[in-house]
Amino acid sequence: MDLLKAMGFGALISGCVAMVIGTQGSSGGQLAIQSMEVADFKMYWSWPVFLACTGVFWGLLLLQR
């Protein structure tokens, strides 16, 4: 259950970071921010940021037990 919670937090933070960096026209180098079009919306996403944030939040949730 903690991993699912961490994935939610990781997705939220990843989306925010990717949106801020992606709207500036940068790919973020190692962050590998990609632009995707979903229906009429342009969305930015980064798998490396998602995995890193999920790991950090999972560790924090395990520490809070």
Side-chain angles (χ1 to χ4, degrees), residues 2 9 36-37 39 44 53-54 61:
D2 285 336
F9 287 132
M36 301 185 303
E37 293 201 18
Y44 296 96
C53 288
T54 299
L61 288 171

Side-chain angles (χ1 to χ4, degrees), residues 12-62:
L12 179 68
I13 298 300
S14 177
C16 291
V17 168
M19 182 180 64
V20 169
I21 295 174
T23 55
Q24 301 300 316
S26 176
S27 66
Q30 294 292 332
L31 300 180
I33 296 173
Q34 304 169 0
S35 174
M36 301 185 303
E37 293 201 18
V38 179
D40 293 335
F41 299 103
K42 192 171 191 180
M43 186 174 120
Y44 296 96
W45 186 253
S46 173
W47 284 108
V49 174
F50 171 72
L51 294 175
C53 288
T54 299
V56 167
F57 282 114
W58 192 21
L60 288 174
L61 288 171
L62 289 176

